[in-house]
Amino acid sequence: MSAMEPFVIRGERVELSVPTHDDVDRIAEVCSDAAVQEWTTVPSPYTRDDAVGFVENVVGPGWARGTEHTWALRERGRLVGMVGLNLDPAVPRVSAEIGYWLAPQARGRGLMGEAATLVVDWALDPEGLDAERLVWRAEVGNWSSRRVAWRLGFRVEGQVRGFLTKRGVRVDGWIGTLLAGDARTPAEPWPDGVPTVTPGVRAG
Ligand SMILES: CC(C)(COP(=O)(O)OP(=O)(O)OC[C@H]1O[C@@H](n2cnc3c(N)ncnc32)[C@H](O)[C@@H]1OP(=O)(O)O)[C@@H](O)C(=O)NCCC(=O)NCCS
């Protein structure tokens, strides 16, 4: 892994750029949303200091050390989400775990699909990160997150007991992977009879 300068990725509707101190109030606001609290590992309750710590201790050093690449997802200049890659050491090529969240008002319009596609394309591009493998993990029942990963081509390979920790408690989790040579389209039909949106997680 090597140090990298944060860079901007532009899509049709989204712009991905490094979150900064100017974003901390908005990050604190969205990370206090009930669904982000319920389905991610952000601190609870989430304070402004947590957002400052995220920008200073996670985002900055992550780029500087090449261990984590984090982008704010901006729509018409407004921060509406976050997407990041957490890197495993290269052996010789890296594996990276993708993570994301959206503000309630930004959900259900495909913005995360677009943003995550841009990040995945860069991560697996030999001219980009040149990762060998990407990983997605989510708590069992987080169908919205799974839907995004499914559209990207991730194969859900297992449901693992006590896989993730949420506020100090072990919860069951799903794991999926996407390899560099995989098609970037759904690898399997969407499971019959299951929701495409996490119950309770709606557009705001
Ligand atoms: C996970 C999360 C980011 C997914 O957000 P999302 O809004 O479902 O994802 P997208 O922005 O990709 O939108 C997807 C839906 O918008 C629809 N869509 C796509 N383009 C669209 C457009 N131009 N207009 C309207 N709808 C559109 C898509 O059809 C898709 O629905 P479908 O897959 O059923 O067809 C969001 O639910 C969230 O923030 N949850 C809380 C935090 C969390 O769980 N994070 C993940 C932890 S593992």
Side-chain angles (χ1 to χ4, degrees):
M1 292 182 295
S2 49
M4 202 176 279
E5 281 293 317
F7 62 97
V8 176
I9 308 180
R10 290 191 178 82
E12 260 178 53
R13 294 180 295 165
V14 303
E15 183 175 285
L16 307 180
S17 61
V18 66
T20 71
H21 276 282
D22 291 343
D23 297 313
V24 295
D25 287 319
R26 178 65 173 153
I27 292 170
E29 180 190 345
V30 181
C31 285
S32 298
D33 168 69
V36 176
Q37 288 276 307
E38 178 65 23
W39 297 103
T40 74
T41 56
V42 299
S44 180
Y46 197 97
T47 65
R48 192 176 188 281
D49 282 349
D50 291 320
V52 171
F54 171 68
V55 168
E56 291 182 355
N57 306 326
V58 177
V59 177
W63 281 100
R65 296 183 189 136
T67 51
E68 195 158 345
H69 304 309
T70 310
W71 290 269
L73 190 167
R74 302 180 201 274
E75 183 188 29
R76 291 188 293 276
R78 180 165 169 75
L79 187 152
V80 295
M82 202 69 64
V83 55
L85 292 170
N86 198 326
L87 277 61
D88 273 349
V91 284
R93 286 162 62 201
V94 297
S95 171
E97 176 169 348
I98 190 165
Y100 38 72
W101 50 254
L102 275 180
Q105 309 81 352
R107 294 178 195 147
R109 292 190 282 125
L111 294 178
M112 188 53 75
E114 184 182 334
T117 300
L118 293 166
V119 167
V120 163
D121 285 350
W122 173 75
L124 297 178
D125 182 351
E127 305 293 315
L129 185 63
D130 195 24
E132 190 164 23
R133 161 182 188 271
L134 298 179
V135 179
W136 162 85
R137 297 189 298 164
E139 185 180 345
V140 170
N142 192 350
W143 293 105
S144 296
S145 178
R146 181 161 167 168
R147 183 88 174 171
V148 172
W150 173 81
R151 282 210 180 281
L152 287 165
F154 279 83
R155 288 181 206 187
V156 178
E157 291 166 312
Q159 179 166 322
V160 184
R161 290 179 294 168
F163 191 35
L164 308 169
T165 47
K166 183 159 91 173
R167 297 194 274 284
V169 177
R170 286 196 178 277
V171 293
D172 295 352
W174 286 319
I175 183 163
T177 63
L178 180 69
L179 302 187
D182 288 346
R184 312 278 169 81
T185 52
E188 57 199 351
W190 184 254
D192 266 349
V194 302
T196 56
V197 177
T198 309
V201 179
R202 295 279 159 203

